[in-house]
Amino acid sequence: MQTNRPIRATGSCLCGAVKYQVLGSLRPVVYCHCSQCRKTSGHFVAATAALKENLVLVTDQGLSWYQSSASAKRGFCGVCGSSLFWSPESDNYVAIMAGTLNQPTELEAVKHIFVLHKADYHDLNDGLPQRQQGDRHTIMFDDE
């Protein structure tokens, strides 16, 4: 485990079989309404992100990965079922489910993506920008 940089955040699954630290910047929270996020979360995903090199797994005995598409995989706890990560194969970041972070996070939500696919029972009225699909500007780090 790296300890030469300050820990920015810590988090875990519900049962503690997966615990992690983030050593660098976290992106603001983005709400994703794509069909995969709806299916894995039961509603929609609120996710931050970190550079892959800045995510340190402290305990990963419960961590399982599911290849959810040709270009990305999802990390979850095989013990309690918590959805933890989304990792694109060809990028240098990993999305972290914001609800798995220990409080306080000092993060804020900045937009909704894939609202074209949102659940029909859900009204979006929080005033945040809405993107019909995703966008490459979803990734925003202070240290990039």
Side-chain angles (χ1 to χ4, degrees):
M1 173 178 13
Q2 297 172 316
T3 58
N4 57 341
R5 292 184 287 157
I7 296 170
R8 163 61 176 91
T10 60
S12 69
C13 64
L14 179 62
C15 73
V18 180
K19 294 180 183 176
Y20 62 88
Q21 298 174 341
V22 179
L23 302 180
S25 297
L26 285 169
R27 178 199 71 194
V29 173
V30 173
Y31 298 136
C32 183
H33 300 270
C34 78
S35 60
Q36 285 191 11
C37 284
R38 283 191 298 105
K39 296 285 185 176
T40 62
S41 71
H43 188 38
F44 69 93
V45 160
T48 183
L51 295 175
K52 286 180 180 179
E53 66 193 39
N54 291 339
L55 178 66
V56 177
L57 295 172
V58 176
T59 304
D60 66 353
Q61 63 196 25
L63 185 59
S64 293
W65 289 95
Y66 171 68
Q67 191 74 40
S68 57
S69 70
S71 60
K73 60 185 179 179
R74 294 175 182 272
F76 64 97
C77 178
V79 178
C80 67
S82 294
S83 181
L84 296 160
F85 309 116
W86 178 84
S87 184
E89 299 291 339
S90 63
D91 264 316
N92 65 340
Y93 73 93
V94 59
I96 301 167
M97 303 307 121
T100 67
L101 290 167
N102 295 324
Q103 299 289 316
T105 68
E106 300 179 7
L107 295 171
E108 64 178 42
V110 293
K111 65 181 157 184
H112 295 267
I113 60 172
F114 291 102
V115 297
L116 185 64
H117 305 283
K118 75 171 186 63
D120 60 359
Y121 58 80
H122 186 193
D123 290 326
L124 302 179
N125 54 14
D126 58 13
L128 292 175
Q130 298 179 19
R131 305 285 181 264
Q132 292 299 304
Q133 298 293 332
D135 60 34
R136 277 303 299 153
H137 303 292
T138 299
I139 308 308
M140 303 170 280
F141 297 107
D142 293 335
D143 54 358
E144 274 194 313

